[in-house]
Amino acid sequence: MATFRLTILGVGLLGGSLGLAAKRRISDCHVTGYGHRPDTLRRAMEMSAIDEASNSAAESVKQADMVVLATPVGLFDQLLREIAPALKPGAIVTDVGSTKRSIVQSAGSILPAGVHFVGSHPMAGSEKRGVEFASADLYQNALCILTPTAKSDERAVEAVRHLWKSLGMRLIDLSPDDHDSALAQVSHLPHAVAAALVAMQQESSLMLAGKGFADSTRIAAGDGGLWRDILLDNRDNMQKSVDCLITQLHGLSTMLKTGDAEGLKAWLDQAAAVRERMAGKSEGK
Amino acid sequence: MATFRLTILGVGLLGGSLGLAAKRRISDCHVTGYGHRPDTLRRAMEMSAIDEASNSAAESVKQADMVVLATPVGLFDQLLREIAPALKPGAIVTDVGSTKRSIVQSAGSILPAGVHFVGSHPMAGSEKRGVEFASADLYQNALCILTPTAKSDERAVEAVRHLWKSLGMRLIDLSPDDHDSALAQVSHLPHAVAAALVAMQQESSLMLAGKGFADSTRIAAGDGGLWRDILLDNRDNMQKSVDCLITQLHGLSTMLKTGDAEGLKAWLDQAAAVRERMAGKSEGK
């Protein structure tokens, strides 16, 4: 069997972990890493997250069987334009981005015929950044959302599925639209809310922050630029989600104003029940 | 030295942990536990969280040097009325409640002269409930807010300080007003927001919930009745905090609508910086 040549564009936490995991779990896999910071590439080489480093995106993909975009989503379009002329026929491109409509559309218009794109969103990561936190187990047991469309090449979809499965991920397919709408609710809004909860605090209150506040705002420690790109890229869904939350908060405000003890308890109990069911499914395992 | 007789009203997670810790860390300490559920009292006895069990609040405090209210805050007034006639002169009463204005006021009007109340809010606990999760280390290194007032008996304040210090807590004094205002911002609102984030989800989105959502909504798994009492007891501050968050969300909505990439990044970066500073102080230790 020929060597499987994988190129990872961006070797931060996600890209670096992908390299470590692919090299460990896919036989005869050669990993090339592209990045614009020499320090990051050097570190990725030292950690054996990549076999080869390149500071040219185009150069790095020339021999690639599969290319994974693992930079912040805001850089995807530019990267696609850089690699488009260099990809070999039959090459498969995927990504790890948190939004899917825009990249699926961009890939369709930027990549040449004979190169196949399939969107992925491996839901792994943390508020930590950088290849130094990369781990071969980051993707293990986590959920990966694939967003193939009617136009997707079937062989390419299977190859991308195989990549994430090899890393121990659970797979689910969604349309790019459904993905972005659901993720706004369950991920992008919670991130923005965590930021809002932190932003509204006075220094004197922050001193009193306990474990509850720490847990509920942990995701706000993520990279500002990366999240700005995600929120703006998904801004229509984000606005709907923000409105939805404001409606909930108005409801809460009314229950407080009228002293609606029964309504308040029902609302809190319902949330607790859902949350405990979730905990039983995932965290309790 | 005479035996120190401590009575704990309510032996759940907080009361049970207090009993375990006091018996381990305070010499010659005899702990009486009051509760209305025989099962809970039996379990607390089996765990040696208490030395003696009683299903009468009045009986349980008769010989007490110190009494700690450790039930949900909604039961405090009724408990104070039950124990008021039974307390011995010089007895000291404190509590573990998450709101402080109402209990300080109630204690002032309900307890007889010669009995001294000092409000405490040991900021420990979790979304778990029940004496079966009690631990002698629950209070270790956590923050305890004391709310003595100009009317407080100095000896009583020192005795309450000593109790929490013996359990390894860090102490801070605040007025009941400042406590309730700050806690609405840093604790009660985040709890309500976690509930709102869960309440607004559709089943199909919840399937996609990752670690970020789990972290940011973990506190919503708490007891509905207990939190209803806290939110209603602190409803004026809660409404201000809800308004404050809605203002933040309107700001976010405007940035999304106008595509204000710079403003969005600054807002997210600022929150991330504050959050990382917090992590460095507490979680990173």
Side-chain angles (χ1 to χ4, degrees), chain A residues 80-121:
Chain A
L80 286 175
R81 283 195 192 89
E82 278 175 49
I83 64 171
L87 289 161
K88 69 179 186 187
I92 295 165
V93 180
T94 187
D95 72 307
V96 302
S98 296
T99 54
K100 296 270 69 78
R101 286 175 301 176
S102 56
I103 179 68
V104 167
Q105 195 173 18
S106 296
S109 66
I110 296 171
L111 294 180
V115 166
H116 308 295
F117 180 84
V118 182
S120 319
H121 179 192

Short mmCIF file of all heavy atoms in Angstrom, two decimals, chain A residues 80-121:
data_model
loop_
_atom_site.label_atom_id
_atom_site.label_comp_id
_atom_site.label_asym_id
_atom_site.label_seq_id
_atom_site.Cartn_x
_atom_site.Cartn_y
_atom_site.Cartn_z
N LEU A 80 -7.40 28.50 0.76
CA LEU A 80 -7.93 27.76 -0.39
C LEU A 80 -7.37 28.33 -1.68
O LEU A 80 -6.98 27.60 -2.59
CB LEU A 80 -9.47 27.80 -0.41
CG LEU A 80 -10.22 26.95 0.62
CD1 LEU A 80 -11.72 27.20 0.53
CD2 LEU A 80 -9.92 25.45 0.41
N ARG A 81 -7.32 29.66 -1.76
CA ARG A 81 -6.79 30.30 -2.97
C ARG A 81 -5.31 29.97 -3.17
O ARG A 81 -4.86 29.74 -4.28
CB ARG A 81 -6.97 31.82 -2.89
CG ARG A 81 -8.39 32.23 -3.17
CD ARG A 81 -8.58 33.70 -3.47
NE ARG A 81 -10.02 33.95 -3.42
CZ ARG A 81 -10.68 34.30 -2.31
NH1 ARG A 81 -10.02 34.49 -1.18
NH2 ARG A 81 -11.99 34.45 -2.34
N GLU A 82 -4.57 29.92 -2.07
CA GLU A 82 -3.14 29.60 -2.17
C GLU A 82 -2.89 28.16 -2.61
O GLU A 82 -1.97 27.89 -3.37
CB GLU A 82 -2.45 29.83 -0.82
CG GLU A 82 -2.09 31.30 -0.57
CD GLU A 82 -1.53 31.50 0.84
OE1 GLU A 82 -0.62 30.74 1.24
OE2 GLU A 82 -2.02 32.41 1.53
N ILE A 83 -3.72 27.23 -2.11
CA ILE A 83 -3.43 25.83 -2.41
C ILE A 83 -4.09 25.34 -3.70
O ILE A 83 -3.66 24.34 -4.28
CB ILE A 83 -3.83 24.88 -1.24
CG1 ILE A 83 -5.35 24.89 -1.00
CG2 ILE A 83 -3.07 25.26 0.03
CD1 ILE A 83 -5.83 23.83 -0.01
N ALA A 84 -5.14 26.04 -4.15
CA ALA A 84 -5.93 25.57 -5.31
C ALA A 84 -5.06 25.18 -6.51
O ALA A 84 -5.24 24.09 -7.08
CB ALA A 84 -6.97 26.61 -5.71
N PRO A 85 -4.11 26.02 -6.93
CA PRO A 85 -3.32 25.67 -8.12
C PRO A 85 -2.34 24.53 -7.87
O PRO A 85 -1.85 23.92 -8.82
CB PRO A 85 -2.54 26.95 -8.42
CG PRO A 85 -3.04 28.00 -7.47
CD PRO A 85 -3.71 27.31 -6.35
N ALA A 86 -2.05 24.24 -6.62
CA ALA A 86 -0.98 23.28 -6.31
C ALA A 86 -1.48 21.87 -6.04
O ALA A 86 -0.71 20.91 -6.08
CB ALA A 86 -0.17 23.78 -5.10
N LEU A 87 -2.77 21.73 -5.75
CA LEU A 87 -3.30 20.41 -5.38
C LEU A 87 -3.25 19.45 -6.56
O LEU A 87 -3.49 19.83 -7.70
CB LEU A 87 -4.76 20.55 -4.92
CG LEU A 87 -4.97 21.24 -3.56
CD1 LEU A 87 -6.40 21.75 -3.44
CD2 LEU A 87 -4.62 20.30 -2.42
N LYS A 88 -2.96 18.18 -6.26
CA LYS A 88 -2.95 17.20 -7.35
C LYS A 88 -4.37 16.70 -7.62
O LYS A 88 -5.23 16.75 -6.70
CB LYS A 88 -2.00 16.05 -7.01
CG LYS A 88 -2.46 15.14 -5.89
CD LYS A 88 -1.45 14.02 -5.65
CE LYS A 88 -1.98 13.02 -4.62
NZ LYS A 88 -1.00 12.00 -4.23
N PRO A 89 -4.64 16.24 -8.84
CA PRO A 89 -5.98 15.73 -9.14
C PRO A 89 -6.35 14.60 -8.19
O PRO A 89 -5.49 13.77 -7.87
CB PRO A 89 -5.86 15.21 -10.57
CG PRO A 89 -4.66 15.89 -11.14
CD PRO A 89 -3.73 16.14 -9.99
N GLY A 90 -7.58 14.60 -7.72
CA GLY A 90 -8.01 13.55 -6.79
C GLY A 90 -7.73 13.85 -5.34
O GLY A 90 -8.15 13.10 -4.46
N ALA A 91 -7.02 14.95 -5.08
CA ALA A 91 -6.73 15.31 -3.69
C ALA A 91 -8.05 15.61 -2.97
O ALA A 91 -9.00 16.11 -3.56
CB ALA A 91 -5.80 16.52 -3.63
N ILE A 92 -8.06 15.30 -1.67
CA ILE A 92 -9.26 15.53 -0.86
C ILE A 92 -8.94 16.60 0.17
O ILE A 92 -7.89 16.56 0.82
CB ILE A 92 -9.70 14.22 -0.17
CG1 ILE A 92 -10.12 13.20 -1.23
CG2 ILE A 92 -10.82 14.48 0.82
CD1 ILE A 92 -10.22 11.78 -0.71
N VAL A 93 -9.83 17.58 0.28
CA VAL A 93 -9.62 18.66 1.24
C VAL A 93 -10.74 18.65 2.26
O VAL A 93 -11.91 18.48 1.90
CB VAL A 93 -9.58 20.03 0.52
CG1 VAL A 93 -9.35 21.16 1.51
CG2 VAL A 93 -8.50 20.04 -0.57
N THR A 94 -10.40 18.80 3.53
CA THR A 94 -11.40 18.96 4.58
C THR A 94 -10.90 20.01 5.56
O THR A 94 -9.87 20.65 5.32
CB THR A 94 -11.74 17.62 5.26
OG1 THR A 94 -12.84 17.81 6.15
CG2 THR A 94 -10.56 17.05 6.03
N ASP A 95 -11.63 20.21 6.65
CA ASP A 95 -11.24 21.28 7.58
C ASP A 95 -11.70 20.92 8.98
O ASP A 95 -12.37 19.89 9.18
CB ASP A 95 -11.87 22.60 7.14
CG ASP A 95 -13.36 22.63 7.40
OD1 ASP A 95 -14.06 21.69 6.94
OD2 ASP A 95 -13.84 23.55 8.08
N VAL A 96 -11.33 21.73 9.94
CA VAL A 96 -11.76 21.50 11.32
C VAL A 96 -12.56 22.69 11.84
O VAL A 96 -12.69 22.90 13.06
CB VAL A 96 -10.56 21.25 12.27
CG1 VAL A 96 -9.74 20.05 11.79
CG2 VAL A 96 -9.68 22.48 12.39
N GLY A 97 -13.12 23.50 10.93
CA GLY A 97 -13.74 24.76 11.32
C GLY A 97 -15.07 24.63 12.05
O GLY A 97 -15.81 23.67 11.83
N SER A 98 -15.38 25.63 12.86
CA SER A 98 -16.59 25.64 13.68
C SER A 98 -17.81 26.17 12.94
O SER A 98 -18.90 26.20 13.50
CB SER A 98 -16.37 26.49 14.93
OG SER A 98 -15.38 25.92 15.73
N THR A 99 -17.63 26.65 11.72
CA THR A 99 -18.77 27.02 10.87
C THR A 99 -18.61 26.27 9.56
O THR A 99 -17.49 25.96 9.15
CB THR A 99 -18.81 28.54 10.59
OG1 THR A 99 -17.55 28.93 10.05
CG2 THR A 99 -19.07 29.32 11.86
N LYS A 100 -19.71 25.98 8.90
CA LYS A 100 -19.61 25.10 7.73
C LYS A 100 -20.19 25.67 6.44
O LYS A 100 -19.75 25.31 5.36
CB LYS A 100 -20.27 23.73 8.02
CG LYS A 100 -19.60 22.92 9.11
CD LYS A 100 -18.48 21.98 8.63
CE LYS A 100 -17.21 22.57 8.13
NZ LYS A 100 -16.29 23.03 9.17
N ARG A 101 -21.19 26.56 6.51
CA ARG A 101 -21.78 27.07 5.27
C ARG A 101 -20.75 27.78 4.41
O ARG A 101 -20.62 27.53 3.21
CB ARG A 101 -22.92 28.03 5.58
CG ARG A 101 -24.17 27.36 6.09
CD ARG A 101 -25.20 28.42 6.47
NE ARG A 101 -24.67 29.30 7.52
CZ ARG A 101 -25.30 30.34 8.00
NH1 ARG A 101 -26.49 30.68 7.53
NH2 ARG A 101 -24.74 31.07 8.96
N SER A 102 -19.97 28.68 5.01
CA SER A 102 -19.07 29.51 4.22
C SER A 102 -17.93 28.70 3.61
O SER A 102 -17.61 28.89 2.44
CB SER A 102 -18.52 30.65 5.08
OG SER A 102 -17.89 30.14 6.22
N ILE A 103 -17.36 27.77 4.35
CA ILE A 103 -16.24 27.01 3.80
C ILE A 103 -16.72 26.06 2.71
O ILE A 103 -16.04 25.87 1.69
CB ILE A 103 -15.45 26.25 4.91
CG1 ILE A 103 -14.29 25.44 4.31
CG2 ILE A 103 -16.33 25.33 5.73
CD1 ILE A 103 -13.18 26.26 3.73
N VAL A 104 -17.90 25.48 2.89
CA VAL A 104 -18.43 24.58 1.85
C VAL A 104 -18.64 25.38 0.56
O VAL A 104 -18.29 24.92 -0.54
CB VAL A 104 -19.74 23.90 2.31
CG1 VAL A 104 -20.46 23.22 1.15
CG2 VAL A 104 -19.45 22.89 3.42
N GLN A 105 -19.18 26.57 0.71
CA GLN A 105 -19.42 27.41 -0.45
C GLN A 105 -18.10 27.87 -1.10
O GLN A 105 -17.92 27.79 -2.31
CB GLN A 105 -20.25 28.62 -0.04
CG GLN A 105 -20.84 29.37 -1.22
CD GLN A 105 -21.79 30.47 -0.77
OE1 GLN A 105 -21.77 30.88 0.38
NE2 GLN A 105 -22.63 30.93 -1.69
N SER A 106 -17.18 28.34 -0.29
CA SER A 106 -15.88 28.80 -0.79
C SER A 106 -15.15 27.68 -1.51
O SER A 106 -14.60 27.88 -2.60
CB SER A 106 -14.99 29.29 0.35
OG SER A 106 -15.55 30.40 0.96
N ALA A 107 -15.11 26.51 -0.88
CA ALA A 107 -14.40 25.39 -1.49
C ALA A 107 -15.00 25.06 -2.85
O ALA A 107 -14.27 24.81 -3.82
CB ALA A 107 -14.44 24.17 -0.56
N GLY A 108 -16.34 25.10 -2.93
CA GLY A 108 -17.01 24.82 -4.19
C GLY A 108 -16.61 25.79 -5.29
O GLY A 108 -16.49 25.41 -6.47
N SER A 109 -16.39 27.03 -4.93
CA SER A 109 -16.07 28.02 -5.97
C SER A 109 -14.57 28.20 -6.19
O SER A 109 -14.14 28.57 -7.28
CB SER A 109 -16.73 29.37 -5.64
OG SER A 109 -16.16 29.90 -4.47
N ILE A 110 -13.76 27.92 -5.20
CA ILE A 110 -12.31 28.17 -5.33
C ILE A 110 -11.52 26.95 -5.81
O ILE A 110 -10.59 27.07 -6.60
CB ILE A 110 -11.72 28.68 -3.98
CG1 ILE A 110 -12.35 30.04 -3.61
CG2 ILE A 110 -10.21 28.80 -4.05
CD1 ILE A 110 -12.01 30.51 -2.20
N LEU A 111 -11.88 25.77 -5.31
CA LEU A 111 -11.07 24.58 -5.67
C LEU A 111 -11.35 24.12 -7.10
O LEU A 111 -12.48 24.21 -7.57
CB LEU A 111 -11.35 23.44 -4.67
CG LEU A 111 -10.89 23.70 -3.24
CD1 LEU A 111 -11.22 22.51 -2.34
CD2 LEU A 111 -9.39 24.02 -3.17
N PRO A 112 -10.33 23.61 -7.81
CA PRO A 112 -10.51 23.18 -9.19
C PRO A 112 -11.30 21.87 -9.28
O PRO A 112 -11.41 21.13 -8.30
CB PRO A 112 -9.07 22.95 -9.67
CG PRO A 112 -8.29 22.66 -8.44
CD PRO A 112 -8.94 23.44 -7.33
N ALA A 113 -11.85 21.61 -10.46
CA ALA A 113 -12.53 20.33 -10.69
C ALA A 113 -11.52 19.22 -10.46
O ALA A 113 -10.32 19.38 -10.70
CB ALA A 113 -13.04 20.28 -12.12
N GLY A 114 -11.98 18.09 -9.95
CA GLY A 114 -11.07 16.96 -9.71
C GLY A 114 -10.45 16.98 -8.32
O GLY A 114 -9.78 16.04 -7.92
N VAL A 115 -10.66 18.07 -7.59
CA VAL A 115 -10.25 18.13 -6.17
C VAL A 115 -11.54 18.13 -5.37
O VAL A 115 -12.50 18.81 -5.73
CB VAL A 115 -9.43 19.40 -5.88
CG1 VAL A 115 -9.30 19.63 -4.39
CG2 VAL A 115 -8.05 19.30 -6.52
N HIS A 116 -11.59 17.33 -4.30
CA HIS A 116 -12.87 17.12 -3.60
C HIS A 116 -12.85 17.67 -2.19
O HIS A 116 -11.98 17.33 -1.39
CB HIS A 116 -13.20 15.64 -3.57
CG HIS A 116 -13.14 15.00 -4.91
ND1 HIS A 116 -14.00 15.34 -5.93
CD2 HIS A 116 -12.28 14.07 -5.42
CE1 HIS A 116 -13.69 14.64 -7.01
NE2 HIS A 116 -12.65 13.86 -6.73
N PHE A 117 -13.84 18.50 -1.89
CA PHE A 117 -13.93 19.05 -0.54
C PHE A 117 -15.09 18.41 0.22
O PHE A 117 -16.18 18.21 -0.32
CB PHE A 117 -14.14 20.56 -0.57
CG PHE A 117 -14.24 21.14 0.82
CD1 PHE A 117 -13.10 21.46 1.54
CD2 PHE A 117 -15.48 21.33 1.43
CE1 PHE A 117 -13.18 21.96 2.84
CE2 PHE A 117 -15.58 21.83 2.73
CZ PHE A 117 -14.43 22.15 3.42
N VAL A 118 -14.85 18.10 1.49
CA VAL A 118 -15.91 17.65 2.41
C VAL A 118 -15.69 18.38 3.72
O VAL A 118 -14.58 18.34 4.29
CB VAL A 118 -15.81 16.12 2.68
CG1 VAL A 118 -16.95 15.67 3.59
CG2 VAL A 118 -15.82 15.34 1.37
N GLY A 119 -16.70 19.07 4.21
CA GLY A 119 -16.56 19.82 5.46
C GLY A 119 -16.61 18.92 6.68
O GLY A 119 -17.40 17.98 6.73
N SER A 120 -15.75 19.19 7.66
CA SER A 120 -15.78 18.45 8.93
C SER A 120 -15.73 19.46 10.08
O SER A 120 -15.12 20.52 9.95
CB SER A 120 -14.55 17.57 9.13
OG SER A 120 -14.17 16.91 7.97
N HIS A 121 -16.34 19.08 11.16
CA HIS A 121 -16.18 19.84 12.39
C HIS A 121 -15.95 18.87 13.55
O HIS A 121 -16.90 18.44 14.21
CB HIS A 121 -17.42 20.72 12.65
CG HIS A 121 -17.32 21.50 13.92
ND1 HIS A 121 -18.40 22.16 14.49
CD2 HIS A 121 -16.27 21.74 14.74
CE1 HIS A 121 -18.01 22.75 15.60
NE2 HIS A 121 -16.73 22.51 15.78
#
